[in-house]
Structures are given as C-alpha cells and as structure tokens.
C-alpha cells in the first residue's frame, strides 16, 4: 500500500519568512495530493491540492509542487504570519479500484514567531 | 452552506460500553470516509462508504468496529465493548464523488475510562 513520509516533524520560522514542508510517497500510481492544516481541537482543513497532471499550483501565499519522478511534493508558504501556526498534513491517494482513501503523513508542527 | 457535521464532539465511555459516532456529510455529498487520529500521529483511514454500501473497510479493526451509511440519516461509526486503546479523535470526511476533494468535520474525541 501507499506510504507517505513527511519531514521535518517541526519547523519554526520568523514571521515574514517562507516555510517549506516536504513529503515523499511510495506508490507511483498515486495521482492526487492534498494538504491539510489542523489547528488545535479542530478538524483538518483542506488548504491546497495538486493532481499528477500538473507540476505546480499556487493560491495566494500558498503553493504546492510535485515531482512525479522523485515521488515527492512540497508545500510552500510565503510571507508567513502567526496565524499560519498549526499542524500541516500531506496526503496521497490513487485510483485503486473504487478506492479513494487518503494516506496521510504524520504531520509537521509549524510555529511562526512574531 | 453547512460543512461536515459530527456529534457528539466529546464522548466519554467506560470500558465495555458502546460508542456511537455520527457524521452528516456536506449537502450534495454521498461519499463518507472515517479516519482515526491517535495523539501526536497522523490520520489513519478506517472505512469508506457510499449510501447503503461499504466500499472499503480495509482500515477497520476486525472486531468490535462497524460502520453504516443508511439511505436516510447520518453515517454511524459504532464501537462495541470499548477499550482504553480506542481513545482517539475520530474524523469523518465527505466528498461529492469518488476521487474528489475530501472535507473534514470537527471530529469526535472519544475518551475511554
């Protein structure tokens, strides 16, 4: 089955700096890669996603890149703000029969220092 | 436009009791997924359902756990004879179709005493 690894496990940046979070996946058949932000006591919130037919996607301060050959994808947050502090999860899924379950990484805690 | 709703938000059970967790998907969504999150860990897939059908239950423990998504009403995750190891946050997600974006509810935090 799919295995998603996420690193580093914690990241601390100064407000205004950029943050980059990287994930690797094992199943070359995976073709959909969402990123979720989870604040304390809340459910995961979808912030951006990318499908395997594109290499990069951007939405305001957030961007995601995908390298299918190397089987890794990254989340880029520019001009970080204290409200960006949260746990970020990457995930992957592929078309395996009728299954669209997500396999998640273990998450990274991002701290933005004011 | 209400999001995914889960109730209760917090549930306390004693060992051996039953826990019932409810999930109402977003309007127009007919696909429901349940995930479990243990402390300091990511989310683990449990089961994927469409109306009246279980599509994939490969992540469900073999015993004590069951799930349903009836034609009318919310999806239910049932845990019988709970044990302390069942203590976790249980999240439900829904999507409009398979392979579409999954949107998560706020979760049910189960504590087994």
């Amino acid at each position: 089955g799919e295995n998603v690894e996420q690193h580093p496990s914690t990241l601390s940046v100064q407000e205004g700096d950029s943050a980059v979070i990287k994930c690797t996946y094992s199943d070359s058949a995976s073709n959909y890669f969402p990123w979720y932000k989870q604040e304390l006591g809340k459910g995961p919130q979808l912030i951006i996603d990318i499908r395997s037919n594109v290499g990069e996607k951007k939405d305001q301060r957030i961007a995601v890149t995908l390298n299918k050959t190397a089987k890794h994808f990254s989340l880029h947050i520019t001009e970080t703000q204290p409200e960006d502090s949260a746990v970020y999860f990457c995930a992957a899924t592929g078309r395996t029969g009728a299954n669209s379950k997500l396999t998640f990484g273990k998450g990274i805690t991002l701290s933005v220092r004011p | 436009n209400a999001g995914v709703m889960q109730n209760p938000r917090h549930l306390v059970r004693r060992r051996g009791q039953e826990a019932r967790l409810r999930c109402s998907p977003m309007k127009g969504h007919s696909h429901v997924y349940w995930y479990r999150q243990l402390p300091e860990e990511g989310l683990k897939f449990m089961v994927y359902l469409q109306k009246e059908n279980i599509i994939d239950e490969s992540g469900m423990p073999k015993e004590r756990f069951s799930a349903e998504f009836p034609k009318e009403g919310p999806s239910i995750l049932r845990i019988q004879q709970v044990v302390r190891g069942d203590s976790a946050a249980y999240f439900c997600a829904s999507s409009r179709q398979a392979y579409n974006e999954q949107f998560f509810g706020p979760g049910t935090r189960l504590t087994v005493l």
Side-chain angles (χ1 to χ4, degrees), chain A residues 32 36 38 41-44 46 49 51 89 94-107, chain B residues 9 33 35 37 40-43 45 48 55-56 58 91 98-107 109:
Chain A
Y32 174 63
Y36 288 87
Q38 186 177 28
K42 297 185 178 181
L46 179 66
D49 56 13
R51 296 190 183 270
F89 292 98
R95 292 177 178 264
T96 305
N99 196 348
S100 56
K101 67 182 182 184
L102 293 172
T103 300
F104 284 85
K106 289 192 173 182
Chain B
R9 295 292 307 277
Y33 311 79
Y35 295 84
Q37 185 176 36
E40 308 299 324
E41 292 193 15
L43 294 94
F45 168 79
Y48 164 33
I55 307 301
D56 181 1
S58 61
F91 291 97
Y99 313 114
N100 276 195
E101 298 86 346
Q102 293 182 27
F103 297 93
F104 281 77
R109 282 150 185 83

Side-chain angles (χ1 to χ4, degrees), chain B residues 60-110:
Chain B
M60 289 276 272
K62 298 298 181 190
E63 299 177 348
R64 303 187 297 108
F65 285 72
S66 62
E68 63 178 12
F69 189 15
K71 186 176 181 180
E72 301 291 338
S75 174
I76 306 287
L77 179 68
R78 183 182 294 110
I79 311 172
Q80 296 177 302
Q81 300 176 324
V82 296
V83 301
R84 289 212 173 118
D86 297 332
S87 294
Y90 292 83
F91 291 97
C92 165
S94 73
S95 66
R96 187 175 298 277
Q97 299 176 8
Y99 313 114
N100 276 195
E101 298 86 346
Q102 293 182 27
F103 297 93
F104 281 77
T108 294
R109 282 150 185 83
L110 173 65

